[in-house]
Structure formats: C-alpha cells, structure tokens
Amino acid sequence: MRSGGAIARRIVLASLLALTAGAVVGCASLERLPAVPAAQTKQALFLDLPNARYFIDEARPTALIAEFKAASEREFRRRGGASMPPADILAISGGGDNGAFGAGLLVGWSERGTRPSFKGVTGVSTGALIAPFAFLGKAYDPALAKLYTGLTADDIFAKRPFLAALSADAMADTAPLYAMISSYVTDEMVAEIAGEYDKGRLLMIGTTDLDAGRPVIWNIGAIAKSRHPLAKESIRKILLASASIPGLFPPVMFDIALDGRTFQEMHGDGGATAQTFLYPPTVSLQNFPSRSRRVFIIRNGKLLQDWSETERKTLAIAGRAVSTLISSNGVGDMYRIYTTTRRDGVDFNLALIEPDFQEPYKGPFDQGYMTTLFEYGRTKAKTGYHWRKVPPGMAVAGN
C-alpha cells in the first residue's frame, strides 16, 4: 500500500482508539485552556499581529486582500516605480513521505537553471516543511535534499504505547519532527524570510483550526518581520501543526490573548481542509495591477491510487476508503485552483508523480523509497519537466 493508504489506515486506527478510549476512560481528557468563543474567532489576534493569519473561507477576506495589495506596493517601491515583472507563485501539496518528489523537483529545477524566484509560496503538511526552502531559493537546496533523503520514521515520530495512546491526543509523539524543524528554522532563516517579505514576497502556510473547523493561512513573512520574541518559536509550531495528521500526530496548541484573557486554539494538518491552496476564489487578481502571472503546483502524489486488493477487514476497508477520499479531495483542489486561475488569466502549471514511477512502497518514511522518489523528481526537472496545463481528467483545448 502506498503512503496515502498507510497514513489513512493509521488515521482510522487512531479514530477507533479514540472511540475505545471514550468507552474505557469516560470523560477523562488532556487539559487545555478554553477555546476561543465562536463569535470571537475573527477578533482573536496571534502575537497581537493583525496580519499574522487569515480565515480564508470568509465571503470577502478584506484583510487578506489588503495584505496582497501591501505586498505589491512594497515590491513597486523597491523597483523605484518601474513596471512590474512577471509574478510566479508556487503551491506545494501535502503527501507525507511523497514530499520527496517535490523536494527533488525543486532541486532539479535549480540545476536546470530555469527555476524562478517566486513572488509567493504556499505549503500544506509536507508541503509546509518544503515551503521555506522553496521560498528562500536554491541556496537552500542542499539542506532540502538532505532533509528528504536522509530522514527516517524515527526522525518524524515516536510511537506511543497502546494504553498511553488511549488517553493521549494521538498515536505518536512528534517531538522528533519538532526537533528537526527547529534545526533548520533558525534565527538566520527567520531573518531571511523577513527580508524577502520586505521585498513584497509572501510565504503562506495552511493549517486547520480544529475548534472552529476552518482552514487558516499563516503569514510567515509578517510573523518573521514582527521581530516578536516568540516569532521563531511560532513559525516552528505552525510548520509542525500543518504536518500534524489528526489522530496520528498530536495537534498543536496556540495561546491567544483576547479581552484580557488567554485562550487556546487547537490546530492540525492543513490537509484536513485542503491538500493544496493558492488564494481564495473570493480574491480576484483582476483588481490588482496588471502583470503576467504563472502558478506552479507541485502535487506530492499520483493522480490515482495504485490498484490494491482490499482485505475484508474493518481497518483495511476503512483505511482504503479514507485514502481514496484524501486522493479525490486533492484532485478537487486542482480543479478549484484551475478555475480561479482561468478567471484571473493566470498561467496554470501542474506537476505530479507520473505512472512511470514504480518503486515499491516499503513503509512510512522509508529512506530508500524517499531517495528514489527524490531522484525521480530531480531527474524529471533537470531534463525539463513537462508541466500539465490542465487538471487531471480535463482535455487540453484542441485535443
């Protein structure tokens, strides 16, 4: 079973454990501060920054629109009023250990010499872990390559004993993943992100607010620029939250000050609400200064799941259904982004793991599998990647 199926089975197992825990331990649960009241979700500020994050499912996200306009103005000023160059945007999807594909693609793209400096980079889950490297450019390629070819499952999580998982908030502990994130999100990286934000470039990471059940975009550049004492720690936690698969990995808690009281928000994997995101369809780039724009989407997965005879067992059936749902939703994200880009006159480009990749999957975060996938993506890009111009299942005009 491929990584999506393996993760899905673990999610199902975690859900069954949670149900069992409810029956066994009754009302016992881990302590937390009160959640932000539903009516005040929008008013709650993180680190007292009005532009630290955005709820993108609003009917009209005025704050996010203002952030986009401010970024364009910063870029315009730095250019001394000269005409704006083409803008390239990169969106990196989730996909667990299949993130090795996206990492390899970026490195090979640099080696070919055609990788642009992206105006904006977005990331979800494993895409969130890649996004800072992609945002800062090819100087970070060696670190990105090491990250996706040198890690193992032990670098990501530590399994919890069965009984501990019953009363805890996940099946595994992600302290190893947090330590890995902390090793590369350094003061130097945060300062570089802040510097690029000053130039009008944006780095956005998606998580899911599990209390509100809503997708959230975190403005990493603004947080870095704030020089808040907790900026670096917060960026680390945001990346961890985006990659924290509910049930399998613990959620990440964020303290929120509101009306003199402290609340907590519970955040998990951005993939729970979107496998990939660009910008909300409620934002139209037609309202911004005219310029040529291209979007590049890296889907860290195949179009369809590999065929697999499913055992007639509860976990196998439920796991296969969940993995199919995740895959299908990911394809739906492609159509949503394509529709938005078509409306706004943005050139659409999609990369994914093609059917010619046939390396057997050996288990979560297997180093051999990830290295092979990394080199696959690297070779594809180095020799000139053939970007898809339409989403899966849609014919190119004229064909």
Side-chain angles (χ1 to χ4, degrees):
M1 181 176 286
R2 297 290 185 189
S3 57
I7 290 173
R9 292 186 71 168
R10 284 166 172 77
I11 293 173
V12 171
L13 178 56
S15 301
L16 292 176
L17 281 173
L19 292 173
T20 304
V24 173
V25 300
C27 296
S29 62
L30 298 178
E31 293 184 0
R32 59 165 293 182
L33 295 177
V36 176
Q40 295 176 286
T41 298
K42 187 176 179 179
Q43 288 73 43
L45 298 181
F46 181 69
L47 301 184
D48 292 323
L49 298 175
N51 61 341
R53 80 292 179 62
Y54 307 94
F55 290 94
I56 62 173
D57 55 354
E58 296 175 343
R60 180 167 173 78
T62 53
L64 183 59
I65 292 171
E67 181 68 20
F68 287 168
K69 289 183 176 179
S72 294
E73 289 169 1
R74 291 195 301 274
E75 182 183 9
F76 185 74
R77 287 196 300 269
R78 289 186 67 89
R79 294 183 56 79
S83 60
M84 301 287 265
D88 295 311
I89 307 168
L90 175 67
I92 315 172
S93 83
D97 44 14
N98 278 334
F101 168 72
L105 186 77
L106 286 164
V107 171
W109 201 354
S110 295
E111 292 171 341
R112 184 171 177 81
T114 56
R115 176 174 152 189
S117 174
F118 299 106
K119 166 72 174 175
V121 175
T122 73
V124 173
S125 198
T126 194
L129 303 182
I130 297 171
F133 298 102
F135 182 73
L136 293 176
K138 65 180 182 180
Y140 278 83
D141 282 357
L144 179 59
K146 181 180 178 181
L147 178 65
Y148 276 89
T149 61
L151 62 79
T152 65
D154 290 339
D155 298 311
I156 303 297
F157 62 88
K159 293 181 180 179
R160 287 172 169 166
F162 178 80
L163 291 179
L166 285 177
S167 58
D169 52 3
M171 293 177 63
D173 182 358
T174 50
L177 176 58
Y178 180 75
M180 183 184 71
I181 292 171
S182 299
S183 71
Y184 71 77
V185 179
T186 60
D187 290 329
E188 180 182 6
M189 175 180 271
V190 172
E192 287 190 53
I193 292 173
E196 296 305 311
Y197 179 78
D198 280 339
K199 298 176 184 177
R201 299 178 64 218
L202 298 174
L203 173 59
M204 302 286 194
I205 299 299
T207 67
T208 299
D209 182 335
L210 296 173
D211 294 315
R214 301 174 67 185
V216 177
I217 289 180
W218 296 83
N219 191 354
I220 303 301
I223 295 172
K225 176 64 178 176
S226 73
R227 296 186 174 86
H228 192 285
L230 296 178
K232 178 177 67 177
E233 173 72 7
S234 297
I235 293 171
R236 291 170 172 175
K237 289 178 65 178
I238 292 164
L239 298 182
L240 178 65
S242 186
S244 293
I245 304 164
L248 180 59
F249 295 157
V252 177
M253 310 302 297
F254 291 90
D255 291 343
I256 303 291
L258 182 64
D259 296 334
R261 295 181 59 195
T262 301
F263 298 88
Q264 277 188 326
E265 290 180 350
M266 178 185 289
H267 285 255
D269 195 336
T273 44
Q275 291 291 307
T276 322
F277 73 94
L278 185 59
Y279 56 88
T282 48
V283 175
S284 175
L285 297 185
Q286 296 174 353
N287 297 323
F288 292 81
S290 178
R291 66 196 299 187
S292 173
R293 296 182 176 91
R294 297 184 298 178
V295 60
F296 296 91
I297 303 163
I298 299 177
R299 173 175 164 80
N300 291 304
K302 291 186 175 182
L303 285 185
L304 303 172
Q305 295 189 88
D306 290 325
W307 186 92
S308 175
E309 183 174 334
T310 305
E311 293 180 280
R312 194 171 178 178
K313 294 181 179 179
T314 301
L315 264 185
I317 295 169
R320 185 66 173 175
V322 171
S323 62
T324 301
L325 176 63
I326 292 171
S327 179
S328 177
N329 284 346
V331 173
D333 290 333
M334 300 300 99
Y335 275 89
R336 171 174 47 79
I337 292 173
Y338 179 73
T339 301
T340 303
T341 56
R342 286 277 291 178
R343 180 199 66 190
D344 292 343
V346 178
D347 183 38
F348 178 92
N349 300 273
L350 171 64
L352 46 80
I353 302 174
E354 302 286 353
D356 60 345
F357 182 75
Q358 294 294 324
E359 179 72 10
Y361 187 72
K362 304 177 182 69
F365 304 101
D366 177 80
Q367 196 171 89
Y369 172 83
M370 294 180 68
T371 298
T372 302
L373 182 55
F374 176 91
E375 291 299 334
Y376 168 83
R378 180 181 185 178
T379 300
K380 287 276 188 180
K382 191 174 181 178
T383 56
Y385 192 83
H386 182 66
W387 294 85
R388 291 175 178 247
K389 305 303 293 184
V390 295
M394 179 178 287
V396 178
N399 288 351

